[in-house]
Amino acid sequence: QALETVKTLMADYLYFSQAGALAHWDMATQMPDKGSDQRSNQLVVLKKYSHQILTSSELADAVAYLRESAPDTSLSSDDNRVVELLHRDITKASKLPAAFVEKFQSVGARGYHVWTKARETNDFSLFQPVLQELVDLSRERSEILGYECDPYDSHLDDYEHGLTVADVDPLFADLKADLVPLLQAIQQQQSVHQAQQKTFEAMAAHQYDESEQLAFCNTLLTDMGFDFERGVVAKSVHPFTTELGGSQDVRLTVRFKPNDLTEGISTALHEGGHAVYEQGLPEDCIGTFLASAPSLGIHESQSRLWENNVGKSRAYWTHYFSKLQAAFSSGLSGLEGDAFYRMINQVKPGFIRVESDEVTYNLHIMVRYELEKELINGRLAVKDLPDAWNARYEEYLGITPPTDTLGCLQDVHWSDGSFGYFPTYTLGNLYAAQYFNTAHQQITGLQDKIAQGQLLPLKQWLNEQIHQLGHRYESGEICQRVTGEPLKAQYFVDYLWTKYGDIYGIQRA
């Protein structure tokens, strides 16, 4: 009876969460501007009732009973895992007053709408007041939940269970020490940069129809195993993926540029990686926390693997460049596949994180990590964020954003108070490199298969090795099971040096 209570209430909680995700999906893709106030109210109500379910005495009592009596019952390993995950979430949610949760949700829903306007008009002053509210609420949340060493730890834990500042700081410091010499060596290869730029200019001299770009991206998504009978693709300002019904209803968004084909392709492969993961989660666990990813780091590993390790590989474009050329002959008729491959892998410090190359990407993440940590710790005032952002970009990447739209307003994450999210992108890069290394060992002729457009063997391997595990294990446990080792940054660093050493003709010291 206790187990039935747990499963019923957990399913109800997830239904409310999915309804909220549907409201967010609509808000980002097609909601009219004047609908924002009502949508904010709707999201608050959905969040209120989901929080009530998670903090109800009925659920808490059932979970407590099962935890205490589990050794003497016949609970399966999956049921035991569900109980432990619920206990973790109930413990955290029960500390947060319902009024506080409603207020945070209300400000976050309003923040998204304000952020889109501020971004469109390049006016940080529009966003500053609501960001200040979100930072204040996030600080208050840290104090309510508690932390051992750093108030930012509670935010990291939301997305990567157990992750702390003490873990991330040295990881980022070591990674930066490896990336800077590689970036410096690459920047010296002017002749290669010039050739890459010439290829880009040739492509950018043409306009590409958005509907044709979407059709091509849908082909790429189909080939990598995205099931359109269980998924939908739309456009949004900031691409994202969400599930609205477990693996049976997965939505992703993309965005396009009229003179740059790579924008749509990259976002489609990235979000497609997220979506294929969602569709591959265990169907027999739908309605429970097991049908979810253990962390955003693991989720990001799937998007980054498809976007970069596969989608920016020479093997991938050995097969797909002729198809791209056939679809957009007016702009690509005179280009060669290898030149296109080198162009899409150009290493050039830029302002936009989602458009950055593999070498500089993590420097973008480090900037965001450091700034939001300082915001939460009170060492940086919200009003000073644009200047601090620009100064950090000058220090890390040698460039200064000319506008706040290209600077601190470019990401959606802070508009709803998602502090602690950004480090998972770097973890995703590291996991992706390690998984891809193992996939090469276990899938015979993987590179040859990719070069022939045979992507389903890799998708199937990911399904079996990672996706079907769902949240039965924590991130580190999955990495150990799949690769036989704990997470190591060295696989990512070696991957970068091998790939870009070849492209730029440089050798590791």
Side-chain angles (χ1 to χ4, degrees):
Q1 184 178 356
L3 184 61
E4 186 62 31
T5 297
V6 163
K7 290 186 174 181
T8 298
L9 291 177
M10 180 169 48
D12 289 349
Y13 170 79
L14 289 172
Y15 292 149
F16 273 105
S17 298
Q18 289 165 347
L22 176 58
H24 273 289
W25 160 268
D26 175 79
M27 183 169 64
T29 57
Q30 60 186 18
M31 186 189 76
D33 287 346
K34 291 188 176 181
S36 61
D37 290 342
Q38 277 298 94
R39 183 55 45 84
S40 176
N41 294 334
Q42 294 159 2
L43 287 167
V44 168
V45 171
L46 289 169
K47 187 67 174 181
K48 177 176 72 174
Y49 283 107
S50 65
H51 184 73
Q52 285 180 1
I53 293 171
L54 195 59
T55 58
S56 67
S57 59
E58 184 180 10
L59 181 59
D61 290 346
V63 168
Y65 173 81
L66 291 171
R67 292 187 77 236
E68 293 166 3
S69 64
D72 302 319
T73 69
S74 57
L75 288 183
S76 68
S77 59
D78 278 0
D79 289 338
N80 271 315
R81 178 63 172 163
V82 164
V83 169
E84 287 306 310
L85 290 174
L86 263 174
H87 173 69
R88 179 198 299 174
D89 284 3
I90 289 171
T91 300
K92 178 179 285 190
S94 297
K95 294 180 180 180
L96 297 169
F100 177 86
V101 173
E102 291 179 36
K103 184 177 182 181
F104 205 126
Q105 179 63 52
S106 177
V107 177
R110 175 164 50 89
Y112 177 82
H113 183 69
V114 175
W115 167 76
T116 57
K117 291 298 182 184
R119 190 177 186 275
E120 288 172 3
T121 58
N122 184 39
D123 188 353
F124 179 75
S125 67
L126 290 178
F127 185 50
Q128 182 181 327
V130 71
L131 180 59
Q132 183 68 64
E133 288 185 75
L134 289 166
V135 169
D136 291 342
L137 287 169
S138 296
R139 290 173 180 167
E140 183 180 351
R141 184 175 182 274
S142 294
E143 297 304 320
I144 293 172
L145 293 177
Y147 51 89
E148 186 172 338
C149 297
D150 193 295
Y152 187 68
D153 288 346
S154 65
H155 298 279
L156 290 171
D157 185 72
D158 288 336
Y159 304 104
E160 197 78 20
H161 179 62
L163 190 69
T164 67
V165 168
D167 300 318
V168 179
D169 280 353
L171 175 66
F172 278 9
D174 291 344
L175 194 56
K176 183 181 176 183
D178 284 319
L179 292 177
V180 170
L182 174 58
L183 178 58
Q184 291 174 342
I186 288 173
Q187 288 177 318
Q188 294 174 6
Q189 306 305 310
Q190 293 301 317
S191 61
V192 180
H193 288 296
Q194 290 170 2
Q196 291 169 326
Q197 186 61 26
K198 185 176 180 181
T199 302
F200 177 77
E201 290 172 356
M203 182 188 72
H206 298 264
Q207 298 285 306
Y208 304 96
D209 182 79
E210 192 171 276
S211 62
E212 293 178 357
Q213 290 193 59
L214 177 59
F216 186 79
C217 287
N218 285 344
T219 297
L220 300 183
L221 289 167
T222 299
D223 288 356
M224 64 187 282
F226 179 70
D227 183 356
F228 277 87
E229 292 187 351
R230 296 185 292 146
V232 172
V233 178
K235 296 186 300 176
S236 68
V237 174
H238 191 102
F240 69 99
T241 299
T242 188
E243 61 87 8
L244 309 181
S247 60
Q248 304 308 298
D249 186 355
V250 179
R251 314 286 180 92
L252 69 90
T253 70
V254 293
R255 68 182 179 198
F256 303 103
K257 286 184 176 179
N259 65 337
D260 183 1
L261 292 169
T262 64
E263 175 83 0
I265 291 170
S266 293
T267 58
L269 292 176
H270 181 96
E271 300 305 332
H274 282 305
V276 168
Y277 184 16
E278 288 288 347
Q279 291 184 340
L281 290 167
E283 291 186 19
D284 59 338
C285 296
I286 290 177
T288 78
F289 288 167
L290 297 188
S292 64
S295 73
L296 281 183
I298 295 296
H299 225 310
E300 286 301 326
S301 75
Q302 302 307 286
S303 61
R304 300 297 285 175
L305 186 150
W306 282 104
E307 178 190 4
N308 293 325
N309 300 84
V310 176
K312 289 185 178 178
S313 69
R314 178 177 272 114
Y316 188 82
W317 289 105
T318 296
H319 177 77
Y320 282 101
F321 182 72
S322 61
K323 296 181 180 296
L324 183 70
Q325 202 169 35
F328 304 98
S329 57
S330 62
L332 301 176
S333 59
L335 298 182
E336 295 181 355
D338 191 64
F340 181 81
Y341 161 73
R342 292 173 178 272
M343 182 270 290
I344 63 172
N345 285 293
Q346 183 178 20
V347 175
K348 182 180 180 181
F351 302 117
I352 306 300
R353 172 183 64 85
V354 297
E355 298 175 7
S356 62
D357 56 82
E358 294 176 275
V359 176
T360 62
Y361 182 89
N362 293 295
L363 297 175
H364 289 264
I365 298 302
M366 291 174 196
V367 168
R368 289 154 175 78
Y369 164 70
E370 293 172 5
L371 292 178
E372 67 179 20
K373 183 173 62 172
E374 292 171 14
L375 286 171
I376 299 301
N377 289 330
R379 295 196 297 270
L380 175 64
V382 171
K383 66 180 179 61
D384 297 327
L385 178 60
D387 289 340
W389 179 288
N390 292 350
R392 209 67 58 99
Y393 261 72
E394 179 61 39
E395 177 186 355
Y396 283 17
L397 292 161
I399 55 176
T400 303
T403 66
D404 289 336
T405 296
L406 293 175
C408 63
L409 289 175
Q410 68 176 267
D411 293 297
V412 69
H413 305 65
W414 292 342
S415 71
D416 66 355
S418 296
F419 299 105
Y421 192 126
F422 282 116
T424 65
Y425 288 115
T426 291
L427 293 179
N429 285 329
L430 304 187
Y431 280 124
Q434 195 158 332
Y435 290 146
F436 202 52
N437 178 75
T438 301
H440 275 90
Q441 297 172 19
Q442 297 184 4
I443 303 175
T444 303
L446 177 57
Q447 284 298 101
D448 291 337
K449 286 181 169 62
I450 294 173
Q452 295 166 12
Q454 298 176 21
L455 304 178
L456 295 185
L458 175 60
K459 186 255 188 184
Q460 184 65 31
W461 183 86
L462 292 169
N463 282 160
E464 295 171 356
Q465 298 294 321
I466 300 170
H467 305 170
Q468 281 298 305
L469 297 179
H471 201 166
R472 290 186 172 97
Y473 306 95
E474 297 297 340
S475 303
E477 294 175 307
I478 291 178
C479 185
Q480 185 74 45
R481 287 174 64 91
V482 175
T483 71
E485 297 179 283
L487 180 64
K488 294 181 178 179
Q490 198 57 49
Y491 286 102
F492 177 66
V493 174
D494 289 347
Y495 159 75
L496 291 182
W497 271 103
T498 299
K499 177 177 180 177
Y500 290 95
D502 172 65
I503 293 173
Y504 284 91
I506 57 177
Q507 292 186 339
R508 199 171 186 172

